Amino acid sequence: MVTTSPSDPMTELATPVESPAKASPSTKANNPNPIAEQDAMIEIDDVSFSYDMGKTNVLKNISFNIPAGKVTALIGPSGCGKSTLLRCLNRMNDLVDTSKVTTGQIRIMGQDINAHDVDPIELRKQVGMVFQKYNPFPKSIYENVAYGLRIQGIKNKARLDEAVEKSLQRAALWNEVKDRLNSSALGLSGGQQQRLCIARTIAVNPRIVLMDEPCSALDPIATARIEELIAELQEEFTIVIVTHNMQQATRVSDRTAFFYLGELIEYDDTTTIFGNPSVTQTEDYVSGRFG
Amino acid sequence: MPPEEPSQHILSSFDAELEQLRIDLIQMGNLVLRAVDGSVNGLLTRDIERCSDVIDDDELIDQKQKEIDSRGMSILLRYSPMASDFRAAVSALSVCRSLERVGDHAVNISKSSRKILKHGECPEIGLVKPLFEATRSQLVKALQAYTNADSLQALEIIEGDKKVDKLHKKLSKALPAMVDSGGSDVKGILHLLFISRFLERIGDLAASIGEDVVFISSAEDIRHA
């Protein structure tokens, strides 16, 4: 059972379970510069995943560690499994009835997130998500940010005010909306709505923020603001971002994982992946030779 | 699955631009080699006109440099190249800069050569021939290494630069000694010293091109190693 307390967001997800022996450690070829277990926020260990109860694996024996306090980019052509993997990290795929992690474990802070005693709702408080299309609730700016906190049972107005302001400041939106907090969130520009969604996500103080192509529906200026924000949030959160924009991955991420046909092809420092990748498939993809 | 020919980009214009950049550099290399040949052979054959041609033709090299810089920057801007494509585009600009400087040194050699030839006999002219041949060989290898993306040959050039340095050092000692011993043409010997220095610099630039070739193929920065 997840025991996360709203007042103590740093609490472990649950009592750590004993880690199984690594079934398929990453090979040197696709993970030449691995993240040590003690530096990992997320350990992905031989994970295979299926949307049809195990008939077809869309992720195949994926193993790599995502470091704490860094930005990790997942790249690859459409259908390679990067968004599926992202959704595995906060069990969003549970919403698909026939989906199933067929092999392996995903551990966050040492806890197997698919263990029977882990509550996915509690998990998602620790692992927030920002989507491709900004999706504020049809409520006021204030209520959007306060929503997660209210669900956590916080009713104290002063505490909510403080948390809303802090979250909007952290999302670099406060100065633009502080005089219209009670206006509809839907009246904001696209870039502002996306930053509001980020504010909503970080309001509940997650440990990890997942971003699924967060800038794909934004103009270049709004994109630059989100990228700047990612750099700032990195100090407080572990960020995993799916992007199709190679330049964006080079700008915002510390580590990059390249996926192809459900397999992890290569995982290394971002400068290596885009500067001198070890695997030909990676080179061909990042340089626009296939995809 | 990846395409059958992984060397092709999905954007065919990207392939065409990179290839044109490579061709432009090879053409510039040929212009520069011709300039170096003209400058020293003009001296050795006492052909002032040939030296003057090198000075006049430097404009072509300068124009080519601007053309290549423009194409390289356009590639960086329009295609945001990654990995080996990025190294190819960035290094092309570096090779281009080195070649342009080689062209400038050829002009300097031509100017010194004209002064020597106008001033008098200067029987010591032939002393620069071994250094010229060694330097020329280095430059040719650098151009071949770039054309064929041959990093092994590029490494040979870097090693070969020692021979050029040695010949230059030898001349730097021998020529002043001739002045001390009452050499016939002090001004001519002084310009031969300049030419020796220009050839040594051309050798350095050939080695620099070799370093760029290594970087293109392996992403390894071997400068100042």
Side-chain angles (χ1 to χ4, degrees), chain B residues 31-65:
Chain B
L31 287 175
V32 166
L33 183 62
R34 195 171 73 190
V36 173
D37 281 347
S39 65
V40 182
N41 284 328
L43 174 69
L44 295 174
T45 60
R46 298 182 180 275
D47 184 346
I48 290 182
E49 205 170 311
R50 197 168 176 192
C51 295
S52 298
D53 287 346
V54 170
I55 295 164
D56 293 343
D57 289 348
D58 190 49
E59 176 66 20
L60 296 175
I61 295 172
D62 291 347
Q63 284 304 320
K64 200 72 186 169
Q65 181 193 26

PDB file of all heavy atoms in Angstrom, chain B residues 31-65:
ATOM      1  N   LEU B  31      42.650  24.769 -56.157  1.00  0.00           N
ATOM      2  CA  LEU B  31      43.089  26.157 -56.405  1.00  0.00           C
ATOM      3  C   LEU B  31      44.277  26.511 -55.508  1.00  0.00           C
ATOM      4  O   LEU B  31      45.249  27.130 -55.951  1.00  0.00           O
ATOM      5  CB  LEU B  31      41.934  27.134 -56.097  1.00  0.00           C
ATOM      6  CG  LEU B  31      40.767  27.196 -57.076  1.00  0.00           C
ATOM      7  CD1 LEU B  31      39.681  28.126 -56.534  1.00  0.00           C
ATOM      8  CD2 LEU B  31      41.236  27.682 -58.450  1.00  0.00           C
ATOM      9  N   VAL B  32      44.189  26.097 -54.265  1.00  0.00           N
ATOM     10  CA  VAL B  32      45.238  26.425 -53.294  1.00  0.00           C
ATOM     11  C   VAL B  32      46.538  25.695 -53.637  1.00  0.00           C
ATOM     12  O   VAL B  32      47.627  26.274 -53.582  1.00  0.00           O
ATOM     13  CB  VAL B  32      44.744  26.069 -51.863  1.00  0.00           C
ATOM     14  CG1 VAL B  32      45.890  26.055 -50.881  1.00  0.00           C
ATOM     15  CG2 VAL B  32      43.676  27.060 -51.420  1.00  0.00           C
ATOM     16  N   LEU B  33      46.410  24.431 -54.027  1.00  0.00           N
ATOM     17  CA  LEU B  33      47.603  23.662 -54.394  1.00  0.00           C
ATOM     18  C   LEU B  33      48.288  24.301 -55.609  1.00  0.00           C
ATOM     19  O   LEU B  33      49.514  24.423 -55.665  1.00  0.00           O
ATOM     20  CB  LEU B  33      47.213  22.207 -54.692  1.00  0.00           C
ATOM     21  CG  LEU B  33      48.361  21.266 -55.009  1.00  0.00           C
ATOM     22  CD1 LEU B  33      49.321  21.142 -53.827  1.00  0.00           C
ATOM     23  CD2 LEU B  33      47.833  19.878 -55.388  1.00  0.00           C
ATOM     24  N   ARG B  34      47.452  24.727 -56.545  1.00  0.00           N
ATOM     25  CA  ARG B  34      48.001  25.390 -57.734  1.00  0.00           C
ATOM     26  C   ARG B  34      48.740  26.667 -57.330  1.00  0.00           C
ATOM     27  O   ARG B  34      49.803  26.999 -57.867  1.00  0.00           O
ATOM     28  CB  ARG B  34      46.869  25.717 -58.716  1.00  0.00           C
ATOM     29  CG  ARG B  34      47.345  26.057 -60.110  1.00  0.00           C
ATOM     30  CD  ARG B  34      46.194  26.166 -61.074  1.00  0.00           C
ATOM     31  NE  ARG B  34      45.419  27.374 -60.853  1.00  0.00           N
ATOM     32  CZ  ARG B  34      44.244  27.641 -61.432  1.00  0.00           C
ATOM     33  NH1 ARG B  34      43.693  26.760 -62.242  1.00  0.00           N
ATOM     34  NH2 ARG B  34      43.616  28.767 -61.202  1.00  0.00           N
ATOM     35  N   ALA B  35      48.192  27.388 -56.368  1.00  0.00           N
ATOM     36  CA  ALA B  35      48.822  28.632 -55.912  1.00  0.00           C
ATOM     37  C   ALA B  35      50.176  28.352 -55.257  1.00  0.00           C
ATOM     38  O   ALA B  35      51.162  29.049 -55.519  1.00  0.00           O
ATOM     39  CB  ALA B  35      47.894  29.351 -54.930  1.00  0.00           C
ATOM     40  N   VAL B  36      50.225  27.318 -54.413  1.00  0.00           N
ATOM     41  CA  VAL B  36      51.489  26.990 -53.737  1.00  0.00           C
ATOM     42  C   VAL B  36      52.522  26.570 -54.779  1.00  0.00           C
ATOM     43  O   VAL B  36      53.689  27.017 -54.750  1.00  0.00           O
ATOM     44  CB  VAL B  36      51.272  25.878 -52.680  1.00  0.00           C
ATOM     45  CG1 VAL B  36      52.598  25.418 -52.093  1.00  0.00           C
ATOM     46  CG2 VAL B  36      50.350  26.379 -51.572  1.00  0.00           C
ATOM     47  N   ASP B  37      52.081  25.712 -55.714  1.00  0.00           N
ATOM     48  CA  ASP B  37      52.993  25.283 -56.789  1.00  0.00           C
ATOM     49  C   ASP B  37      53.518  26.492 -57.564  1.00  0.00           C
ATOM     50  O   ASP B  37      54.724  26.614 -57.820  1.00  0.00           O
ATOM     51  CB  ASP B  37      52.261  24.361 -57.767  1.00  0.00           C
ATOM     52  CG  ASP B  37      52.145  22.949 -57.217  1.00  0.00           C
ATOM     53  OD1 ASP B  37      52.839  22.642 -56.230  1.00  0.00           O
ATOM     54  OD2 ASP B  37      51.358  22.157 -57.780  1.00  0.00           O
ATOM     55  N   GLY B  38      52.588  27.388 -57.918  1.00  0.00           N
ATOM     56  CA  GLY B  38      52.981  28.558 -58.722  1.00  0.00           C
ATOM     57  C   GLY B  38      53.954  29.442 -57.979  1.00  0.00           C
ATOM     58  O   GLY B  38      54.922  29.958 -58.566  1.00  0.00           O
ATOM     59  N   SER B  39      53.714  29.623 -56.689  1.00  0.00           N
ATOM     60  CA  SER B  39      54.556  30.555 -55.936  1.00  0.00           C
ATOM     61  C   SER B  39      55.993  30.054 -55.846  1.00  0.00           C
ATOM     62  O   SER B  39      56.937  30.817 -56.081  1.00  0.00           O
ATOM     63  CB  SER B  39      53.975  30.775 -54.540  1.00  0.00           C
ATOM     64  OG  SER B  39      54.008  29.572 -53.794  1.00  0.00           O
ATOM     65  N   VAL B  40      56.172  28.767 -55.539  1.00  0.00           N
ATOM     66  CA  VAL B  40      57.544  28.260 -55.357  1.00  0.00           C
ATOM     67  C   VAL B  40      58.181  27.942 -56.715  1.00  0.00           C
ATOM     68  O   VAL B  40      59.361  28.261 -56.933  1.00  0.00           O
ATOM     69  CB  VAL B  40      57.558  27.021 -54.425  1.00  0.00           C
ATOM     70  CG1 VAL B  40      58.995  26.541 -54.220  1.00  0.00           C
ATOM     71  CG2 VAL B  40      56.932  27.367 -53.088  1.00  0.00           C
ATOM     72  N   ASN B  41      57.419  27.338 -57.604  1.00  0.00           N
ATOM     73  CA  ASN B  41      57.989  27.042 -58.926  1.00  0.00           C
ATOM     74  C   ASN B  41      58.339  28.331 -59.670  1.00  0.00           C
ATOM     75  O   ASN B  41      59.309  28.377 -60.441  1.00  0.00           O
ATOM     76  CB  ASN B  41      57.040  26.182 -59.752  1.00  0.00           C
ATOM     77  CG  ASN B  41      57.062  24.738 -59.269  1.00  0.00           C
ATOM     78  OD1 ASN B  41      58.103  24.261 -58.807  1.00  0.00           O
ATOM     79  ND2 ASN B  41      55.941  24.053 -59.354  1.00  0.00           N
ATOM     80  N   GLY B  42      57.534  29.392 -59.433  1.00  0.00           N
ATOM     81  CA  GLY B  42      57.866  30.693 -60.004  1.00  0.00           C
ATOM     82  C   GLY B  42      59.256  31.131 -59.550  1.00  0.00           C
ATOM     83  O   GLY B  42      60.044  31.656 -60.342  1.00  0.00           O
ATOM     84  N   LEU B  43      59.536  30.908 -58.280  1.00  0.00           N
ATOM     85  CA  LEU B  43      60.852  31.264 -57.735  1.00  0.00           C
ATOM     86  C   LEU B  43      61.941  30.375 -58.333  1.00  0.00           C
ATOM     87  O   LEU B  43      62.966  30.873 -58.825  1.00  0.00           O
ATOM     88  CB  LEU B  43      60.836  31.117 -56.213  1.00  0.00           C
ATOM     89  CG  LEU B  43      62.158  31.310 -55.492  1.00  0.00           C
ATOM     90  CD1 LEU B  43      62.604  32.778 -55.569  1.00  0.00           C
ATOM     91  CD2 LEU B  43      62.062  30.881 -54.026  1.00  0.00           C
ATOM     92  N   LEU B  44      61.678  29.058 -58.291  1.00  0.00           N
ATOM     93  CA  LEU B  44      62.731  28.117 -58.714  1.00  0.00           C
ATOM     94  C   LEU B  44      63.052  28.253 -60.202  1.00  0.00           C
ATOM     95  O   LEU B  44      64.186  28.020 -60.617  1.00  0.00           O
ATOM     96  CB  LEU B  44      62.305  26.677 -58.386  1.00  0.00           C
ATOM     97  CG  LEU B  44      62.148  26.358 -56.885  1.00  0.00           C
ATOM     98  CD1 LEU B  44      61.589  24.957 -56.689  1.00  0.00           C
ATOM     99  CD2 LEU B  44      63.477  26.514 -56.144  1.00  0.00           C
ATOM    100  N   THR B  45      62.033  28.613 -60.999  1.00  0.00           N
ATOM    101  CA  THR B  45      62.272  28.762 -62.457  1.00  0.00           C
ATOM    102  C   THR B  45      62.520  30.225 -62.837  1.00  0.00           C
ATOM    103  O   THR B  45      62.562  30.555 -64.014  1.00  0.00           O
ATOM    104  CB  THR B  45      61.073  28.220 -63.254  1.00  0.00           C
ATOM    105  OG1 THR B  45      59.913  28.975 -62.878  1.00  0.00           O
ATOM    106  CG2 THR B  45      60.833  26.741 -62.994  1.00  0.00           C
ATOM    107  N   ARG B  46      62.590  31.064 -61.785  1.00  0.00           N
ATOM    108  CA  ARG B  46      62.833  32.503 -61.984  1.00  0.00           C
ATOM    109  C   ARG B  46      61.804  33.117 -62.931  1.00  0.00           C
ATOM    110  O   ARG B  46      62.116  33.878 -63.841  1.00  0.00           O
ATOM    111  CB  ARG B  46      64.247  32.731 -62.517  1.00  0.00           C
ATOM    112  CG  ARG B  46      65.305  32.253 -61.530  1.00  0.00           C
ATOM    113  CD  ARG B  46      66.715  32.518 -62.011  1.00  0.00           C
ATOM    114  NE  ARG B  46      67.664  32.035 -61.016  1.00  0.00           N
ATOM    115  CZ  ARG B  46      68.069  32.737 -59.952  1.00  0.00           C
ATOM    116  NH1 ARG B  46      67.617  33.947 -59.753  1.00  0.00           N
ATOM    117  NH2 ARG B  46      68.911  32.222 -59.085  1.00  0.00           N
ATOM    118  N   ASP B  47      60.531  32.776 -62.665  1.00  0.00           N
ATOM    119  CA  ASP B  47      59.432  33.228 -63.518  1.00  0.00           C
ATOM    120  C   ASP B  47      58.566  34.217 -62.719  1.00  0.00           C
ATOM    121  O   ASP B  47      57.633  33.828 -62.013  1.00  0.00           O
ATOM    122  CB  ASP B  47      58.611  31.998 -63.960  1.00  0.00           C
ATOM    123  CG  ASP B  47      57.510  32.351 -64.937  1.00  0.00           C
ATOM    124  OD1 ASP B  47      57.189  33.556 -65.070  1.00  0.00           O
ATOM    125  OD2 ASP B  47      56.955  31.427 -65.552  1.00  0.00           O
ATOM    126  N   ILE B  48      58.869  35.481 -62.841  1.00  0.00           N
ATOM    127  CA  ILE B  48      58.168  36.521 -62.067  1.00  0.00           C
ATOM    128  C   ILE B  48      56.685  36.561 -62.427  1.00  0.00           C
ATOM    129  O   ILE B  48      55.822  36.751 -61.569  1.00  0.00           O
ATOM    130  CB  ILE B  48      58.821  37.905 -62.317  1.00  0.00           C
ATOM    131  CG1 ILE B  48      60.207  37.932 -61.661  1.00  0.00           C
ATOM    132  CG2 ILE B  48      57.958  39.033 -61.753  1.00  0.00           C
ATOM    133  CD1 ILE B  48      60.949  39.245 -61.794  1.00  0.00           C
ATOM    134  N   GLU B  49      56.393  36.339 -63.700  1.00  0.00           N
ATOM    135  CA  GLU B  49      55.004  36.401 -64.143  1.00  0.00           C
ATOM    136  C   GLU B  49      54.157  35.336 -63.438  1.00  0.00           C
ATOM    137  O   GLU B  49      53.007  35.583 -63.047  1.00  0.00           O
ATOM    138  CB  GLU B  49      54.948  36.193 -65.663  1.00  0.00           C
ATOM    139  CG  GLU B  49      53.715  36.807 -66.278  1.00  0.00           C
ATOM    140  CD  GLU B  49      53.790  36.810 -67.796  1.00  0.00           C
ATOM    141  OE1 GLU B  49      54.834  37.248 -68.347  1.00  0.00           O
ATOM    142  OE2 GLU B  49      52.827  36.340 -68.404  1.00  0.00           O
ATOM    143  N   ARG B  50      54.761  34.175 -63.289  1.00  0.00           N
ATOM    144  CA  ARG B  50      54.028  33.087 -62.628  1.00  0.00           C
ATOM    145  C   ARG B  50      53.723  33.459 -61.162  1.00  0.00           C
ATOM    146  O   ARG B  50      52.641  33.176 -60.652  1.00  0.00           O
ATOM    147  CB  ARG B  50      54.862  31.807 -62.689  1.00  0.00           C
ATOM    148  CG  ARG B  50      54.035  30.576 -62.404  1.00  0.00           C
ATOM    149  CD  ARG B  50      54.768  29.305 -62.744  1.00  0.00           C
ATOM    150  NE  ARG B  50      53.957  28.165 -62.347  1.00  0.00           N
ATOM    151  CZ  ARG B  50      54.393  26.923 -62.300  1.00  0.00           C
ATOM    152  NH1 ARG B  50      55.636  26.647 -62.647  1.00  0.00           N
ATOM    153  NH2 ARG B  50      53.598  25.944 -61.923  1.00  0.00           N
ATOM    154  N   CYS B  51      54.685  34.107 -60.522  1.00  0.00           N
ATOM    155  CA  CYS B  51      54.455  34.569 -59.145  1.00  0.00           C
ATOM    156  C   CYS B  51      53.322  35.597 -59.113  1.00  0.00           C
ATOM    157  O   CYS B  51      52.471  35.571 -58.212  1.00  0.00           O
ATOM    158  CB  CYS B  51      55.730  35.206 -58.581  1.00  0.00           C
ATOM    159  SG  CYS B  51      57.089  34.033 -58.389  1.00  0.00           S
ATOM    160  N   SER B  52      53.308  36.471 -60.094  1.00  0.00           N
ATOM    161  CA  SER B  52      52.260  37.501 -60.142  1.00  0.00           C
ATOM    162  C   SER B  52      50.890  36.878 -60.363  1.00  0.00           C
ATOM    163  O   SER B  52      49.874  37.335 -59.809  1.00  0.00           O
ATOM    164  CB  SER B  52      52.555  38.507 -61.262  1.00  0.00           C
ATOM    165  OG  SER B  52      53.779  39.159 -61.005  1.00  0.00           O
ATOM    166  N   ASP B  53      50.856  35.828 -61.174  1.00  0.00           N
ATOM    167  CA  ASP B  53      49.577  35.133 -61.418  1.00  0.00           C
ATOM    168  C   ASP B  53      48.988  34.596 -60.112  1.00  0.00           C
ATOM    169  O   ASP B  53      47.783  34.645 -59.891  1.00  0.00           O
ATOM    170  CB  ASP B  53      49.786  33.965 -62.393  1.00  0.00           C
ATOM    171  CG  ASP B  53      50.005  34.457 -63.825  1.00  0.00           C
ATOM    172  OD1 ASP B  53      49.725  35.653 -64.078  1.00  0.00           O
ATOM    173  OD2 ASP B  53      50.462  33.660 -64.666  1.00  0.00           O
ATOM    174  N   VAL B  54      49.890  34.069 -59.251  1.00  0.00           N
ATOM    175  CA  VAL B  54      49.420  33.530 -57.962  1.00  0.00           C
ATOM    176  C   VAL B  54      48.753  34.648 -57.156  1.00  0.00           C
ATOM    177  O   VAL B  54      47.683  34.448 -56.564  1.00  0.00           O
ATOM    178  CB  VAL B  54      50.594  32.921 -57.168  1.00  0.00           C
ATOM    179  CG1 VAL B  54      50.163  32.572 -55.736  1.00  0.00           C
ATOM    180  CG2 VAL B  54      51.126  31.678 -57.880  1.00  0.00           C
ATOM    181  N   ILE B  55      49.384  35.824 -57.161  1.00  0.00           N
ATOM    182  CA  ILE B  55      48.825  36.952 -56.389  1.00  0.00           C
ATOM    183  C   ILE B  55      47.463  37.359 -56.966  1.00  0.00           C
ATOM    184  O   ILE B  55      46.498  37.557 -56.222  1.00  0.00           O
ATOM    185  CB  ILE B  55      49.823  38.135 -56.407  1.00  0.00           C
ATOM    186  CG1 ILE B  55      51.104  37.718 -55.662  1.00  0.00           C
ATOM    187  CG2 ILE B  55      49.218  39.371 -55.745  1.00  0.00           C
ATOM    188  CD1 ILE B  55      52.306  38.615 -55.907  1.00  0.00           C
ATOM    189  N   ASP B  56      47.392  37.414 -58.280  1.00  0.00           N
ATOM    190  CA  ASP B  56      46.120  37.798 -58.920  1.00  0.00           C
ATOM    191  C   ASP B  56      45.024  36.759 -58.659  1.00  0.00           C
ATOM    192  O   ASP B  56      43.860  37.110 -58.417  1.00  0.00           O
ATOM    193  CB  ASP B  56      46.315  37.947 -60.436  1.00  0.00           C
ATOM    194  CG  ASP B  56      47.222  39.131 -60.777  1.00  0.00           C
ATOM    195  OD1 ASP B  56      47.399  39.987 -59.882  1.00  0.00           O
ATOM    196  OD2 ASP B  56      47.762  39.161 -61.890  1.00  0.00           O
ATOM    197  N   ASP B  57      45.424  35.478 -58.727  1.00  0.00           N
ATOM    198  CA  ASP B  57      44.414  34.418 -58.614  1.00  0.00           C
ATOM    199  C   ASP B  57      43.927  34.195 -57.187  1.00  0.00           C
ATOM    200  O   ASP B  57      42.991  33.422 -56.962  1.00  0.00           O
ATOM    201  CB  ASP B  57      44.984  33.093 -59.159  1.00  0.00           C
ATOM    202  CG  ASP B  57      45.131  33.139 -60.676  1.00  0.00           C
ATOM    203  OD1 ASP B  57      44.583  34.086 -61.281  1.00  0.00           O
ATOM    204  OD2 ASP B  57      45.791  32.252 -61.246  1.00  0.00           O
ATOM    205  N   ASP B  58      44.561  34.846 -56.230  1.00  0.00           N
ATOM    206  CA  ASP B  58      44.118  34.661 -54.840  1.00  0.00           C
ATOM    207  C   ASP B  58      42.668  35.106 -54.658  1.00  0.00           C
ATOM    208  O   ASP B  58      41.962  34.616 -53.776  1.00  0.00           O
ATOM    209  CB  ASP B  58      45.040  35.440 -53.887  1.00  0.00           C
ATOM    210  CG  ASP B  58      44.770  35.079 -52.436  1.00  0.00           C
ATOM    211  OD1 ASP B  58      44.709  33.867 -52.129  1.00  0.00           O
ATOM    212  OD2 ASP B  58      44.585  35.991 -51.607  1.00  0.00           O
ATOM    213  N   GLU B  59      42.239  36.016 -55.497  1.00  0.00           N
ATOM    214  CA  GLU B  59      40.851  36.475 -55.446  1.00  0.00           C
ATOM    215  C   GLU B  59      39.883  35.299 -55.631  1.00  0.00           C
ATOM    216  O   GLU B  59      38.839  35.236 -54.987  1.00  0.00           O
ATOM    217  CB  GLU B  59      40.658  37.538 -56.559  1.00  0.00           C
ATOM    218  CG  GLU B  59      39.246  38.054 -56.722  1.00  0.00           C
ATOM    219  CD  GLU B  59      38.763  38.840 -55.499  1.00  0.00           C
ATOM    220  OE1 GLU B  59      39.612  39.291 -54.715  1.00  0.00           O
ATOM    221  OE2 GLU B  59      37.536  38.942 -55.331  1.00  0.00           O
ATOM    222  N   LEU B  60      40.280  34.350 -56.502  1.00  0.00           N
ATOM    223  CA  LEU B  60      39.414  33.178 -56.735  1.00  0.00           C
ATOM    224  C   LEU B  60      39.273  32.349 -55.460  1.00  0.00           C
ATOM    225  O   LEU B  60      38.193  31.843 -55.136  1.00  0.00           O
ATOM    226  CB  LEU B  60      40.010  32.292 -57.844  1.00  0.00           C
ATOM    227  CG  LEU B  60      40.109  32.894 -59.237  1.00  0.00           C
ATOM    228  CD1 LEU B  60      40.837  31.930 -60.177  1.00  0.00           C
ATOM    229  CD2 LEU B  60      38.708  33.187 -59.777  1.00  0.00           C
ATOM    230  N   ILE B  61      40.413  32.218 -54.748  1.00  0.00           N
ATOM    231  CA  ILE B  61      40.390  31.442 -53.494  1.00  0.00           C
ATOM    232  C   ILE B  61      39.512  32.148 -52.457  1.00  0.00           C
ATOM    233  O   ILE B  61      38.701  31.516 -51.775  1.00  0.00           O
ATOM    234  CB  ILE B  61      41.828  31.243 -52.974  1.00  0.00           C
ATOM    235  CG1 ILE B  61      42.624  30.374 -53.954  1.00  0.00           C
ATOM    236  CG2 ILE B  61      41.829  30.618 -51.581  1.00  0.00           C
ATOM    237  CD1 ILE B  61      44.111  30.271 -53.649  1.00  0.00           C
ATOM    238  N   ASP B  62      39.661  33.468 -52.389  1.00  0.00           N
ATOM    239  CA  ASP B  62      38.857  34.219 -51.419  1.00  0.00           C
ATOM    240  C   ASP B  62      37.365  34.095 -51.727  1.00  0.00           C
ATOM    241  O   ASP B  62      36.538  33.941 -50.825  1.00  0.00           O
ATOM    242  CB  ASP B  62      39.276  35.699 -51.422  1.00  0.00           C
ATOM    243  CG  ASP B  62      40.677  35.896 -50.843  1.00  0.00           C
ATOM    244  OD1 ASP B  62      41.201  34.942 -50.228  1.00  0.00           O
ATOM    245  OD2 ASP B  62      41.245  36.984 -51.027  1.00  0.00           O
ATOM    246  N   GLN B  63      37.052  34.157 -53.008  1.00  0.00           N
ATOM    247  CA  GLN B  63      35.639  34.031 -53.401  1.00  0.00           C
ATOM    248  C   GLN B  63      35.112  32.643 -53.036  1.00  0.00           C
ATOM    249  O   GLN B  63      33.978  32.485 -52.583  1.00  0.00           O
ATOM    250  CB  GLN B  63      35.475  34.281 -54.906  1.00  0.00           C
ATOM    251  CG  GLN B  63      35.557  35.736 -55.304  1.00  0.00           C
ATOM    252  CD  GLN B  63      34.536  36.611 -54.558  1.00  0.00           C
ATOM    253  OE1 GLN B  63      33.391  36.216 -54.354  1.00  0.00           O
ATOM    254  NE2 GLN B  63      34.975  37.784 -54.121  1.00  0.00           N
ATOM    255  N   LYS B  64      35.963  31.642 -53.271  1.00  0.00           N
ATOM    256  CA  LYS B  64      35.546  30.269 -52.976  1.00  0.00           C
ATOM    257  C   LYS B  64      35.308  30.119 -51.472  1.00  0.00           C
ATOM    258  O   LYS B  64      34.386  29.420 -51.048  1.00  0.00           O
ATOM    259  CB  LYS B  64      36.638  29.288 -53.454  1.00  0.00           C
ATOM    260  CG  LYS B  64      36.146  27.884 -53.656  1.00  0.00           C
ATOM    261  CD  LYS B  64      35.265  27.767 -54.889  1.00  0.00           C
ATOM    262  CE  LYS B  64      34.655  26.402 -55.022  1.00  0.00           C
ATOM    263  NZ  LYS B  64      33.610  26.363 -56.054  1.00  0.00           N
ATOM    264  N   GLN B  65      36.161  30.776 -50.684  1.00  0.00           N
ATOM    265  CA  GLN B  65      35.973  30.703 -49.237  1.00  0.00           C
ATOM    266  C   GLN B  65      34.601  31.261 -48.838  1.00  0.00           C
ATOM    267  O   GLN B  65      33.868  30.658 -48.048  1.00  0.00           O
ATOM    268  CB  GLN B  65      37.068  31.485 -48.498  1.00  0.00           C
ATOM    269  CG  GLN B  65      36.905  31.397 -46.979  1.00  0.00           C
ATOM    270  CD  GLN B  65      37.764  32.388 -46.207  1.00  0.00           C
ATOM    271  OE1 GLN B  65      38.125  33.446 -46.715  1.00  0.00           O
ATOM    272  NE2 GLN B  65      38.087  32.031 -44.987  1.00  0.00           N
TER     273      GLN B  65
END
